[in-house]
Amino acid sequence: MSNAYRTRLESYLASMLQAKKMLSAGILSSEDYAKMDTIIAKKYGISSCSLYRGIDLLYSRFNGNMSCCKEVLQCQKA
């Protein structure tokens, strides 16, 4: 892992930690949290396929971790 990527990743994780606290406090809804995660990941250049993304795939509103959405198909091509 390059130093530049590590710096971007740490910035992403620090931002999402604050968002997670706001979610726990009821300031953000789960939909707002998901939108924020997408925006922050894009800002710091973190792929939607990254293991470091803080999205809980096992407890999504669809009760599963598999999807046929466009983002999943993009990850399979990468």
Side-chain angles (χ1 to χ4, degrees):
M1 178 182 309
S2 70
N3 286 337
Y5 182 75
R6 182 182 175 110
T7 301
R8 291 193 330 262
L9 182 61
E10 288 173 353
S11 297
Y12 163 77
L13 292 172
S15 298
M16 292 313 299
L17 178 62
Q18 296 305 315
K20 187 79 161 186
K21 288 180 181 181
M22 288 189 279
L23 178 66
S24 296
I27 298 170
L28 291 177
S29 68
S30 58
E31 291 84 15
D32 291 336
Y33 178 82
K35 289 176 188 176
M36 183 178 260
D37 180 68
T38 302
I39 292 167
I40 298 295
K42 186 175 180 179
K43 176 181 178 178
Y44 291 112
I46 307 300
S47 169
S48 62
C49 304
S50 176
L51 295 175
Y52 298 107
R53 296 282 301 266
I55 301 171
D56 193 350
L57 298 175
L58 295 177
Y59 299 104
S60 71
R61 63 184 171 155
F62 298 109
N63 297 325
N65 61 357
M66 299 300 287
S67 174
C68 62
C69 68
K70 183 173 103 176
E71 290 80 13
V72 172
L73 297 176
Q74 289 173 346
C75 289
Q76 292 173 351
K77 292 179 186 177

